[in-house]
Amino acid sequence: MKQLFLLGGNDLEMDAIRDLLKNNSIKPADKNLAWGAKLSDYKEFLNFEGTIYGIELEEDITPPSNYVEIDHHGKNDHKKSSLEQVAEILGVKLDDDQMLIAANDARYISGMKSLCAKQEKIDKIRAKDRASQGVTEEDEELALQSFNIALSDKTNVIYSKTSHFSAVSDLAYYKYDNYIIYNDTKVVFYGYKRENIIEFFKEQNIQEGSYYYGGGEFGFVGIKGNVCTRDDIESLITEFKKEKKKDKIYSYHTFMLPFTFSGNFDKKNNWEYKPFEIKEQRNYNEFVYFYKHVQDAIYNKENENEENWISKYYEYKEQKGTYTINCKKGIFELELDGISLRIFNTNVAILSFNLKNTNYSSLDDILAINDFGRRIYPQFLGKNFTCDTKNAILANSLTLTFEKKEPIKEDFTRFDNLLDIKLLPNFITDLVEKNFQKDKEGKTTIRQIIDDRMFVISQYHNDELIKKLKFYKQHCNKYEYETSDDWYRYLFIDGDDKTCQSKNMTKKLISESTYDRWIEWGTLFGISRYSFVAFTGSWFGKNRLLPHMQTMYFQMFTLLLAYRATIIKFADDIQYATTNDNEITQKTKEVYKKYLNFLNKLYFKEITAQDQGIELYNQAIKIMDIETYMNDLDNEINELHGYVDLKEEKKRNDTLTLISKIGAVLLPPSLMAGLFGMNVLTVNGTEHNQLLAFMYIVLSGIVGLLITLDWKSIFNIKKLKKSISEIIATGLKFLISLIFILLVLNSFNFFDKFDFNFLKDSLFFNKKLEMVDDKK
C-alpha cells in the first residue's frame, strides 16, 4: 500500500518524525515549514494515489478522500502525540528518548515529568526543541529580559520581547503555575483551564477560528497572530483579570491541619491575636448557637495573656492571595479567603486555609481540588521516588501566594533524597513552624496528627447534580444518592477512581456517613474521618449554607479535631512518662491534671441545643471514633495512675519493712535493757562488767540482725548473690544505726563517765600472772 507523509511546522517532534520515517526507508514531502503550516502548502501532492498522511497541517482547503489527519492539537487534543501516531502506522516501538520527545510535544514539561525524567534530561530536550523552532541566542536573551521584568513587577503577565514564546515559557513554567505571555500581535494563556479561557473568549466575541489550543485540559490557549492589535490584547488581559474577581462561587474549601507542639507560641511571624467580637449578624448567630461552656472554650477573651485560657485564635496578617494546586488533573488556582490558627491549652493547634473557588465548576475539578490540595507529604515513595507518587495521589506542587510577596512553593522534590525528608511542606514551615520552640537538637517540635492529609471541609454548588442525587426511586424506596458513585467520591475525597469497588460496601458506607435531613430541599451533608462535605444548589449554597459552613460548622469540627489531636498528645505524654522510672510519679500527676482539665473544660458531650447541630455532632463523634479513642485514653490514664499507686504503695511498704527490720535488730538490746535495767553499764562497777555488758549489747544486736535474714534465700544458690547483697545492706543499716546511737550518747557526754583504764589494768594484771608462772 502506497503512503505519503506531509510534514508540518518544524519543532523537535517533527525532527523526530522525519528521522523515524528515514530510518524506515520512507521519504516524506517536506517543505521545512514553520509553525502554522497549512495543507494548501502541499496542494501539488494531493493527487497522490495511496494514503496521504498530513502531520499537523491546518486544513485551510478541503482534503481529498484518501487524506488522513495526524495531529494532537485543537480538536485532536485527546489523541496521542503525532510521533506516537506515526510510530503506530509504521508498526515500530519508540525508544525512551523518543517517548520523552512525544511527551514534551503533547503535554510540555509536565508530560516529561510524568515519565519521571530527570531535570537535566528535560532541560536538554527543551533546548533542542527551541533550536528546532529557530530560537536564537538573541531570542534567549530577550526572553530572559522579558521574564526578569515580570519578576520585578511581581506579575504572571509577561510581555515578550521575542516572538518565540517558548523561550519565555520555559522560564516562567518553573516560577508560575499559570501565566500569560503576549506581544503586539498575539497572546497565549498557559496553565489555565481550557474550558474557562474559551468561555471567556466567547464573552469577548473572539471567534473559534481565531484561537488555538493544546497541551491538555490545562495546557495552553492562544489567539492567532495578527487577529488582535496591541490595544486589543491589553484590553483583553484587563478584562480577564476582572473576570477572575467576579463574585461567583462554585465551591468553598477549608483545609485544616491539626498538630501537636511543645514549648510556647511566638506570634512574631505575621500572626495577629483576634478576640471574638459581635460586629454583624453572622457573629451573633454563631455565638448563640453554642452553649455557654462551649463559648468559653472557643471564643477568645480580650486579654491574650489571661492565665486560665482554653484556646486562643490568631489570623495571619496577609489574608488575601492564592492557593494553587498543580497536579496530574490540572492546575487549580483558588482564591485565599483567610488563614487562621487556633491554639488550645492541651498543646494542640489547628491551622486552617479558607479557599474560594470561582473558576472550576465540574465535579472532577472539585474532587481534584479536595484530594490533591489536602496532601502535605508523599504517602509512599516508588522506584522513582515522588515521581511515582505524583502520578498517583500527590500534587506536583502546592503554592501559597500573597499579594506582592514571593510565592511559597512545595514541589516535594526533597523527598527524592531520603536523608533530607521532612513531613511539613514549605508553606506550613514558613507560616507556623518558625513560631514554635525547637528541641535541643534544633528540630521542630510540631507534629501533624492525621497522616499525609489535612482535614477537608467542602461545600459544592451544582444545581443539576443535586437534582439528580435527590431523585427518589419509588420502586425501591431509595434516593439516588444512596448508591451514587459521584456522592461517594465527593464524600470520601476520592480525586481519581472510587476507592471502594463493592456495591454493598459502598451503600453501607454512604448510609453511615450521610446526613440527609434536608435532602428534599436539595442539600446533602457527609461526614468521614477526613472530611465534612455539603452538596447543594447554587443560590442556597452561596446565600444560606456558606455562612454556616464558615462559622458554626467550622467551630464544631475545630473542636472535634482538637479532641483527636489532644487524645494523641496524651498518648505521647503517657509514653514519655513511663520512659523514666525516677520521674514517673511527678509526670503522671502532670498528665492526670491536664486530663482532668481537658475533660472539664474542653471535651463536651453536647455543644448546642439545635437539633441539626446535635445530630451532626453525634454522627461526627461516631464516624471519627472520638468516644472509642476517649475510652481507650481513659483506660490508659487509669492504668498509669494505678501503676503509680502500686509503686507508691511499694515504697511505703519498703519503708515499713526497713523500720520493722531496724526494730528487730534493736529488740535484743532493748530486752537486755529491760531485764538488767538502764544502768547495766555501771560506772563504778568491777573492772570487767562494763566491757562484758557492752559486748553483750553488740552481740544481742547481731542476734537481732540474724533474725531478720531470709535463710532460705541464703542457701539458695540461684539467689545467693542477692542474699549476700541483702546481708551487706542490712549490716550497713545496722552499723549506721549503731553509730548513730553512739553519736547521740556521746553528744550527752555519756562516755565521759566510764573508766576505760580497766582495760589497761587487765592487760597489766595478765602480764604479772605470766611473770609468776615463769618464776615457778
Side-chain angles (χ1 to χ4, degrees):
M1 181 179 177
K2 294 183 178 180
Q3 297 174 324
L4 175 64
F5 290 87
L6 312 178
L7 301 189
N10 280 332
D11 59 14
L12 184 59
E13 184 187 36
M14 202 58 67
D15 288 345
I17 291 172
R18 187 181 290 110
D19 292 339
L20 185 63
L21 294 171
K22 181 180 178 181
N23 292 336
N24 285 272
S25 302
I26 298 174
K27 183 177 181 180
D30 184 8
K31 291 194 173 184
N32 199 29
L33 301 173
W35 278 5
K38 296 177 173 55
L39 180 58
S40 60
D41 293 325
Y42 289 101
K43 58 184 177 182
E44 67 270 28
F45 293 92
L46 299 182
N47 293 323
F48 178 79
E49 293 181 1
T51 304
I52 304 173
Y53 296 101
I55 305 174
E56 298 186 2
L57 296 173
E58 182 182 341
E59 294 181 7
D60 59 332
I61 59 175
T62 303
S65 59
N66 58 338
Y67 179 81
V68 176
E69 181 184 38
I70 296 177
D71 204 350
H72 59 92
H73 301 291
K75 66 181 186 296
N76 298 305
D77 191 55
H78 61 286
K79 295 182 178 181
K80 293 181 179 180
S81 70
S82 299
L83 179 55
E84 290 172 289
Q85 292 181 52
V86 171
E88 287 182 356
I89 293 170
L90 299 179
V92 298
K93 184 178 179 181
L94 300 177
D95 60 28
D96 291 343
D97 283 348
Q98 290 171 324
M99 287 300 298
L100 283 177
I101 292 171
N104 167 65
D105 204 87
R107 295 295 183 265
Y108 194 39
I109 295 174
S110 60
M112 291 186 283
K113 284 190 170 184
S114 69
L115 295 180
C116 301
K118 299 297 184 183
Q119 189 62 47
E120 182 181 358
K121 192 71 174 179
I122 292 173
D123 292 341
K124 185 177 180 180
I125 287 179
R126 287 306 308 151
K128 286 183 177 180
D129 197 6
R130 294 195 302 274
S132 296
Q133 297 169 28
V135 177
T136 64
E137 289 186 9
E138 182 182 0
D139 290 317
E140 300 277 12
E141 180 60 33
L142 291 173
L144 182 59
Q145 292 176 17
S146 304
F147 177 66
N148 286 334
I149 291 172
L151 278 183
S152 63
D153 291 340
K154 293 184 170 58
T155 179
N156 66 338
V157 180
I158 308 168
Y159 178 81
S160 177
K161 295 183 177 182
T162 171
S163 60
H164 292 284
F165 285 7
S166 60
V168 181
S169 181
D170 284 358
L171 298 170
Y173 176 87
Y174 295 101
K175 182 65 178 178
Y176 307 107
D177 290 296
N178 44 43
Y179 46 95
I180 301 170
I181 303 176
Y182 74 102
N183 62 12
D184 294 345
T185 60
K186 61 181 180 177
V187 59
V188 182
F189 295 76
Y190 297 86
Y192 295 97
K193 190 173 183 181
R194 182 179 64 215
E195 176 186 332
N196 293 347
I197 299 299
I198 292 176
E199 185 64 31
F200 170 69
F201 283 174
K202 289 180 180 178
E203 293 175 2
Q204 303 302 313
N205 296 317
I206 297 174
Q207 302 302 315
E208 184 175 352
S210 300
Y211 59 81
Y212 59 96
Y213 55 86
E217 190 178 6
F218 288 82
F220 60 87
V221 184
I223 297 178
K224 297 177 180 178
N226 299 315
V227 170
C228 300
T229 64
R230 168 75 178 268
D231 290 341
D232 292 336
I233 292 172
E234 291 182 346
S235 176
L236 186 72
I237 293 172
T238 301
E239 289 301 317
F240 179 71
K241 292 179 179 178
K242 290 180 182 179
E243 180 72 17
K244 289 183 64 180
K245 293 182 179 180
K246 281 187 177 179
D247 190 22
K248 56 182 178 181
I249 301 177
Y250 295 117
S251 62
Y252 196 90
H253 310 260
T254 299
F255 295 142
M256 305 174 73
L257 176 70
F259 61 88
T260 63
F261 64 89
S262 302
N264 298 319
F265 174 69
D266 182 0
K267 61 176 184 176
K268 62 186 177 183
N269 192 22
N270 294 318
W271 288 99
E272 185 176 2
Y273 179 78
K274 287 283 186 179
F276 182 77
E277 298 178 280
I278 298 179
K279 293 183 177 180
E280 53 187 50
Q281 293 92 329
R282 61 182 285 171
N283 301 134
Y284 174 81
N285 295 339
E286 176 185 355
F287 187 74
V288 299
Y289 185 81
F290 298 103
Y291 290 133
K292 174 65 171 62
H293 52 279
V294 181
Q295 295 170 357
D296 293 338
I298 61 177
Y299 294 120
N300 283 20
K301 305 296 188 295
E302 287 290 337
N303 182 12
E304 180 182 0
N305 299 316
E306 183 183 359
E307 289 187 5
N308 297 320
W309 62 279
I310 301 174
S311 74
K312 295 180 180 181
Y313 177 76
Y314 298 87
E315 288 184 356
Y316 200 67
K317 291 180 180 177
E318 297 286 342
Q319 290 285 299
K320 297 299 179 182
T322 57
Y323 185 92
T324 305
I325 305 158
N326 185 327
C327 64
K328 68 176 185 178
K329 296 287 187 176
I331 301 171
F332 304 95
E333 184 180 88
L334 305 177
E335 180 183 337
L336 187 63
D337 197 35
I339 302 176
S340 65
L341 178 69
R342 184 170 291 280
I343 298 175
F344 293 88
N345 62 0
T346 56
N347 279 47
V348 304
I350 298 174
L351 175 68
S352 301
F353 300 89
N354 296 317
L355 308 169
K356 188 188 300 183
N357 166 29
T358 61
N359 295 311
Y360 316 99
S361 59
S362 74
L363 177 62
D364 284 340
D365 292 341
I366 308 306
L367 295 175
I369 289 170
N370 281 341
D371 194 14
F372 291 95
R374 64 177 174 156
R375 297 186 184 272
I376 58 174
Y377 65 86
Q379 193 177 60
F380 70 91
L381 296 176
K383 180 181 179 181
N384 297 297
F385 292 90
T386 54
C387 179
D388 294 330
T389 327
K390 291 175 181 179
N391 285 331
I393 59 175
L394 185 66
N396 296 320
S397 65
L398 298 174
T399 306
L400 183 63
T401 305
F402 298 107
E403 294 179 356
K404 297 183 179 179
K405 277 192 174 184
E406 283 294 311
I408 312 169
K409 187 173 185 178
E410 176 57 72
D411 63 5
F412 304 105
T413 54
R414 55 198 164 80
F415 285 86
D416 291 347
N417 181 358
L418 293 178
L419 299 176
D420 195 32
I421 287 180
K422 185 181 172 192
L423 300 184
L424 288 173
N426 291 329
F427 59 90
I428 291 178
T429 298
D430 193 80
L431 286 177
V432 295
E433 186 185 30
K434 297 175 182 177
N435 294 93
F436 289 94
Q437 296 175 353
K438 297 183 181 297
D439 59 20
K440 294 179 181 178
E441 297 179 355
K443 296 180 180 179
T444 179
T445 57
I446 76 172
R447 178 171 71 89
Q448 67 278 9
I449 60 97
I450 299 182
D451 52 16
D452 64 308
R453 294 163 281 190
M454 292 188 275
F455 189 87
V456 177
I457 296 179
S458 175
Q459 176 179 316
Y460 178 36
H461 311 153
N462 189 316
D463 296 302
E464 292 300 319
L465 195 50
I466 192 62
K467 182 178 179 181
K468 174 184 175 183
L469 293 178
K470 77 173 189 176
F471 177 73
Y472 190 73
K473 295 180 282 189
Q474 297 284 349
H475 64 282
C476 58
N477 297 323
K478 294 184 184 299
Y479 288 104
E480 182 68 30
Y481 81 82
E482 295 182 65
T483 55
S484 169
D485 287 352
D486 288 341
W487 174 239
Y488 181 94
R489 292 170 66 207
Y490 181 57
L491 197 166
F492 292 101
I493 320 295
D494 286 344
D496 216 330
D497 295 329
K498 186 164 70 78
T499 53
C500 179
Q501 293 300 310
S502 165
K503 294 185 183 298
N504 291 332
M505 189 174 184
T506 296
K507 182 179 176 181
K508 178 176 180 291
L509 291 173
I510 287 176
S511 175
E512 293 173 348
S513 301
T514 301
Y515 179 74
D516 67 351
R517 171 188 272 262
W518 308 109
I519 180 62
E520 291 294 341
W521 286 6
T523 299
L524 268 178
F525 292 97
I527 305 168
S528 74
R529 290 183 300 118
Y530 296 96
S531 64
F532 173 60
V533 300
F535 227 149
T536 190
S538 300
W539 184 91
F540 181 81
K542 178 181 175 182
N543 297 285
R544 292 289 185 269
L545 184 58
L546 184 56
H548 284 68
M549 298 290 283
Q550 294 171 319
T551 54
M552 286 87 86
Y553 298 149
F554 171 75
Q555 299 291 6
M556 180 187 296
F557 281 88
T558 296
L559 279 175
L560 291 167
L561 289 175
Y563 298 164
R564 287 182 65 181
T566 300
I567 291 167
I568 293 174
K569 182 67 169 62
F570 274 126
D572 290 344
D573 290 344
I574 291 170
Q575 183 180 13
Y576 178 66
T578 57
T579 55
N580 190 333
D581 226 34
N582 296 326
E583 300 178 357
I584 189 170
T585 300
Q586 180 59 33
K587 292 191 178 301
T588 298
K589 289 179 180 178
E590 293 173 2
V591 171
Y592 199 68
K593 181 180 179 181
K594 290 179 181 178
Y595 179 62
L596 291 178
N597 185 66
F598 168 62
L599 287 179
N600 293 329
K601 294 186 176 181
L602 187 57
Y603 181 66
F604 310 116
K605 294 289 186 180
E606 190 172 288
I607 62 174
T608 179
Q610 298 291 326
D611 288 342
Q612 179 172 331
I614 293 172
E615 292 162 0
L616 278 172
Y617 186 74
N618 289 340
Q619 188 169 356
I621 287 278
K622 181 181 179 181
I623 293 294
M624 298 170 73
D625 284 330
I626 299 295
E627 284 191 348
T628 302
Y629 295 147
M630 280 299 297
N631 290 335
D632 292 343
L633 175 63
D634 191 64
N635 291 334
E636 285 187 54
I637 293 283
N638 289 331
E639 287 177 5
L640 178 64
H641 198 263
Y643 174 70
V644 171
D645 282 346
L646 286 175
K647 285 183 65 67
E648 291 297 305
E649 183 67 24
K650 185 177 183 303
K651 277 187 179 180
R652 287 191 292 270
N653 291 338
D654 289 345
T655 302
L656 291 174
T657 300
L658 175 62
I659 293 172
S660 300
K661 287 184 177 181
I662 293 173
V665 170
L666 297 178
L667 178 62
S670 300
L671 182 62
M672 288 189 63
L675 292 174
F676 297 105
M678 291 302 296
N679 295 322
V680 66
L681 292 175
T682 307
V683 176
N684 296 317
T686 63
E687 55 187 71
H688 292 296
N689 79 322
Q690 290 178 335
L691 176 62
L692 291 173
F694 185 80
M695 290 176 63
Y696 285 148
I697 290 174
V698 173
L699 289 173
S700 64
I702 293 173
V703 170
L705 172 63
L706 295 175
I707 292 173
T708 65
L709 297 178
D710 183 1
W711 292 99
K712 280 187 177 182
S713 297
I714 291 175
F715 292 106
N716 187 331
I717 300 299
K718 292 182 179 180
K719 298 182 179 179
L720 183 59
K721 291 183 179 180
K722 184 178 179 182
S723 300
I724 293 173
S725 64
E726 284 184 356
I727 294 172
I728 295 172
T730 308
L732 288 173
K733 291 175 184 177
F734 171 74
L735 182 60
I736 291 170
S737 301
L738 181 63
I739 292 172
F740 176 74
I741 293 170
L742 295 175
L743 289 174
V744 171
L745 293 174
N746 185 60
S747 66
F748 290 101
N749 299 320
F750 183 78
F751 294 106
D752 291 346
K753 300 176 183 179
F754 296 128
D755 181 9
F756 290 99
N757 288 326
F758 76 90
L759 294 172
K760 179 179 176 182
D761 294 341
S762 298
L763 293 173
F764 181 70
F765 178 74
N766 291 335
K767 187 68 175 174
K768 283 184 177 182
L769 289 176
E770 290 176 3
M771 292 175 63
V772 171
D773 290 338
D774 290 342
K775 288 179 180 182
K776 289 182 178 181

